[in-house]
Amino acid sequence: MIKQFLHKSFSVLLALLVLFSTVSFTIEKHYCGDVLVDISVFTEAKKCDMGISEMTKETITNKTCCKDEVKLVKGQDELKVSTFDDLNFQQQLFIATFTYSFINLFEGLETQIIPHKDYSPPNLVADIQVLDQVFII
């Protein structure tokens, strides 16, 4: 039972490791001055208004104190897929013999013939041990 639990948990752990190593995501930070206003993963960070109306935003676009930082965390783009032909001869030989011996390890047993399967014992008319008064002490 513990072996099955460890096997399943290790399989899930390896699957999550492959998943997280291949996922790419962005982290976006929005600063107003030196103060961090919003941080966002996967989506765009919310911008601050700083009490500026729409008309004044257009006039002072060059003199803004806000800045955005975007950090891209890039995952693995390409997974290496190797075939049996990519291995050298010794590795191929080892894998072939290991697979053959592993498969033959779990061969089923032959069906056993039970000759007395349909035999029914005779009915006991009297208990012989009590009649002969022979008891095991």
Side-chain angles (χ1 to χ4, degrees), residues 33-97:
D34 292 332
V35 178
L36 177 65
V37 175
D38 191 25
I39 187 167
S40 176
V41 180
F42 300 118
T43 60
E44 187 175 331
K46 294 180 183 176
K47 311 293 186 211
C48 61
D49 286 336
M50 291 183 52
I52 302 173
S53 65
E54 291 295 325
M55 294 176 66
T56 56
K57 276 187 184 178
E58 295 173 8
T59 58
I60 57 170
T61 54
N62 296 336
K63 297 182 183 180
T64 181
C65 63
C66 296
K67 65 178 180 175
D68 293 325
E69 285 185 14
V70 178
K71 183 176 181 183
L72 176 66
V73 178
K74 192 166 186 168
Q76 187 177 1
D77 288 341
E78 183 177 312
L79 294 175
K80 182 181 177 184
V81 178
S82 49
T83 62
F84 188 72
D85 297 329
D86 294 338
L87 303 173
N88 62 23
F89 178 72
Q90 292 173 343
Q91 292 172 336
Q92 288 179 353
L93 182 66
F94 174 76
I95 289 174
T97 54

